[in-house]
């Protein structure tokens, strides 16, 4: 659709987004950019719940949500889109229901699968931007490869204990995930110590990175990696570099 | 010369502290500083940390290493300068 054919914000949308429409540099053009955007969030657990909730609240028009399995009691310390009543039911159903309670205008494509080799192309093709919230490096590296191949921006968020990391990958311009982590680390385990407040903090920041890339308002963490520890509230911004021999985006692989 | 090593993520838990101060000879390289850091830790801490830091080829290629806030290219072993801060993080993910 050409920009001059995009329907203006409705009176209801203006009211819902009135607190952010006045953010300098955002305005109606920024809000229309959010409404026109499709974002893939994989998975929608502790980190992805916070991302999806903030993007739905901000008015992103369409979310592609991938997450397998049923709600477990052990999800509930951090997965804010799951509920006690939904234990034993598919996670993705709880996710969709909670998001649409907040924003009934939201379009969703909900997939009860995690990212894998046979769905990554199809799901990435549906989106303008990816937010990587997956716990396993096999999934993260698959998405990274597809993001680089299709030149799709990807926000990389991660957490551990009271610590978290965040960077934004702009393929061709910044390091990709494989420049930082070229293969699955053998010591990484699917379950690890973390508080929900940690996943919530980095999830909110990842959502803000997505909003900045979509609207062009602000400076994403491109070529920089934020690492922080909420135990002592130390925050560091590192300059990260592309590997010329990166197996995914390198110029001399 | 004085150096600071900052451990992040799993390394921080294994080392038992966020930070380690080292007094190294001038011209110390990154890998030498890390060997000294391991040697100065209590043996149980060093035992927990060593497999997270090292692989068959030397330093693990999945580590994020930065000196004074700038990532060190994988496979390089830069000479450190007095007062440098070396930050190391093992990979972490979502969940």
């Amino acid at each position: 659709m050409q920009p001059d054919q995009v329907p203006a914000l409705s009176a209801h949308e203006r009211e819902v987004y009135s607190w952010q429409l006045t953010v300098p540099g955002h305005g109606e053009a920024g809000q229309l950019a959010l409404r026109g955007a499709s974002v893939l969030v994989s998975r929608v657990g502790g980190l992805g719940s916070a991302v999806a909730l903030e993007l739905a609240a901000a008015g992103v028009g369409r979310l592609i949500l991938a997450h397998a399995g049923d709600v477990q009691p052990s999800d509930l310390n951090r997965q804010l889109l799951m509920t006690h009543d939904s234990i034993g039911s598919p996670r993705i159903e709880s996710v969709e229901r909670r998001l649409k309670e907040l924003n009934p205008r939201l379009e969703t494509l909900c997939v009860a699968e995690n990212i894998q080799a046979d769905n990554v192309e199809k799901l990435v093709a549906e989106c303008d931007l990816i937010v990587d919230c997956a716990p396993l490096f096999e999934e993260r590296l698959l998405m990274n490869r597809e993001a680089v191949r299709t030149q799709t921006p990807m926000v990389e968020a991660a957490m551990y204990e009271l610590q978290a990391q965040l960077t934004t990958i702009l393929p061709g311009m910044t390091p990709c995930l494989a420049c930082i982590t070229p293969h699955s680390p053998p010591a990484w385990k699917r379950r690890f110590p973390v508080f929900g407040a940690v996943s919530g903090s980095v999830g909110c920041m990842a959502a803000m990175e997505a909003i900045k890339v979509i609207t062009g308002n602000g400076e994403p963490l491109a070529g920089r990696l934020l690492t922080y520890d909420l135990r002592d509230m130390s925050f560091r911004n590192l300059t990260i570099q592309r590997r010329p021999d990166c197996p995914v985006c390198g110029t001399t692989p | 010369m004085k150096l600071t090593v900052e451990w992040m993520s799993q390394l921080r838990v294994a080392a038992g502290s966020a930070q380690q101060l080292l007094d190294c000879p001038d011209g110390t390289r990154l890998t030498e500083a890390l060997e000294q850091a391991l040697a100065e830790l209590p043996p149980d801490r060093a035992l927990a940390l060593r497999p997270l830091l090292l692989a068959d080829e030397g330093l693990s290629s999945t580590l994020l290493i930065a000196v004074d806030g700038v990532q060190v290219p994988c496979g390089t072993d830069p000479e450190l300068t007095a007062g440098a801060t070396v930050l190391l993080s093992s990979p972490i993910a979502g969940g």
Side-chain angles (χ1 to χ4, degrees), chain B:
Chain B
M1 64 180 184
K2 308 280 188 199
L3 299 174
T4 304
V5 176
E6 291 187 345
W7 307 110
M8 296 295 296
S9 58
Q10 290 165 299
L11 308 179
R12 181 167 290 196
V13 175
S17 67
Q19 210 175 61
Q20 200 174 337
L21 303 177
L22 300 177
D23 195 353
C24 301
D26 287 352
T28 294
R29 293 193 172 275
L30 173 66
T31 53
E32 294 167 334
L34 295 179
E35 278 298 342
Q36 183 172 333
L38 284 169
E40 292 181 9
L41 281 171
D44 58 328
R45 294 291 183 186
L47 196 64
L49 197 52
R50 191 172 284 277
L52 296 172
L53 284 180
L54 302 173
D56 291 344
E57 71 276 18
L59 281 178
S60 167
S61 61
T62 61
L63 287 177
L64 174 66
I65 305 174
V67 174
D68 293 331
V70 178
Q71 186 186 6
V72 174
C74 181
T76 61
D77 190 15
E79 186 177 315
L80 303 174
T81 55
T85 297
V86 180
L87 180 146
L88 293 104
S89 179
S90 56
I92 58 175

Side-chain angles (χ1 to χ4, degrees), chain A residues 45-47 78 133-135 137 140 158-161 163 165 179-183 185 187-188 192 225 227-229 236 238-241 243, chain B residues 6-13 18-19 51-52 57 60-64 66 69-74 85 87 89-95:
Chain A
L47 221 165
R78 67 198 183 286
C133 305
F137 279 88
R140 298 173 81 88
M159 60 191 182
Y160 184 81
E161 205 235 6
Q163 305 168 56
Q165 287 180 1
C179 292
I180 307 166
T181 309
H183 57 84
W188 184 249
F192 53 87
L225 183 139
T227 178
Y228 63 86
D229 189 345
R236 287 170 183 71
L238 307 177
T239 299
I240 53 175
Q241 312 199 20
R243 290 190 189 198
Chain B
E6 291 187 345
W7 307 110
M8 296 295 296
S9 58
Q10 290 165 299
L11 308 179
R12 181 167 290 196
V13 175
Q19 210 175 61
L52 296 172
E57 71 276 18
S60 167
S61 61
T62 61
L63 287 177
L64 174 66
V70 178
Q71 186 186 6
V72 174
C74 181
T85 297
L87 180 146
S89 179
S90 56
I92 58 175

